[in-house]
Amino acid sequence: DDTINPVQRLLPSIIRAQLTHDVVKNEPVDQLGSHIPMNEQGLLRIYLFTEMSQLQGKILFHDWYHQGKRMAHVRIPVGHERTRASSSKFIDRYMLGSWTVKVVDAEQQVYVTAQFVVPK
């Protein structure tokens, strides 16, 4: 059921977190479910959007995993009392299967996990 929100916020400092096809003017354009079909071009760009509160001065990371292997480690410095940030990953036909995105700090404390599948 792709209406299930695949994103879990694990700490109250994360106000919003969602998977989306794009971020425009610092807002997600849609909310993706746990199944994200490949398009006809064979190339998706998936974003993890986060809105955080009271984490200023911290450095967070968006870690993107495909089938358990880390594919991207994106540094997200938190500059303000309330900050919105996103990272994205291009996914092609050779990267189908299960994906996990984690928002972590330098101590590996997990703030958000998002799990989705690009079906084969």
Side-chain angles (χ1 to χ4, degrees):
D1 183 2
D2 58 2
T3 59
I4 295 170
N5 183 356
V7 180
Q8 287 187 297
R9 294 177 299 123
L10 303 174
L11 292 174
S13 50
I14 304 294
I15 299 164
R16 286 191 296 161
Q18 70 190 71
L19 294 169
T20 180
H21 281 110
D22 201 358
V23 176
V24 176
K25 294 183 179 165
N26 231 353
E27 276 294 317
V29 298
D30 57 7
Q31 182 161 320
L32 298 175
S34 55
H35 281 72
I36 303 173
M38 180 54 72
N39 58 26
E40 287 179 16
Q41 295 77 33
L43 185 65
L44 294 172
R45 187 172 187 182
I46 306 298
Y47 291 77
L48 177 67
F49 167 87
T50 53
E51 184 174 354
M52 302 151 280
S53 174
Q54 300 175 339
L55 291 173
Q56 64 270 29
K58 275 191 109 49
I59 305 286
L60 298 181
F61 299 91
H62 288 189
D63 287 341
W64 292 76
Y65 296 88
H66 176 237
Q67 311 280 102
K69 180 181 177 214
R70 190 166 79 183
M71 307 295 282
H73 180 64
V74 182
R75 188 174 185 270
I76 309 283
V78 183
H80 303 286
E81 157 73 30
R82 199 165 173 131
T83 298
R84 295 179 198 171
S86 59
S87 67
S88 67
K89 183 79 187 85
F90 283 104
I91 299 172
D92 66 24
R93 292 194 168 115
Y94 303 102
M95 302 160 91
L96 303 177
S98 66
W99 283 86
T100 303
V101 192
K102 291 182 182 173
V103 178
V104 299
D105 62 19
E107 292 74 46
Q108 296 303 306
Q109 166 90 39
V110 181
Y111 291 72
V112 174
T113 62
Q115 294 183 294
F116 64 94
V117 173
V118 182
K120 293 180 162 73

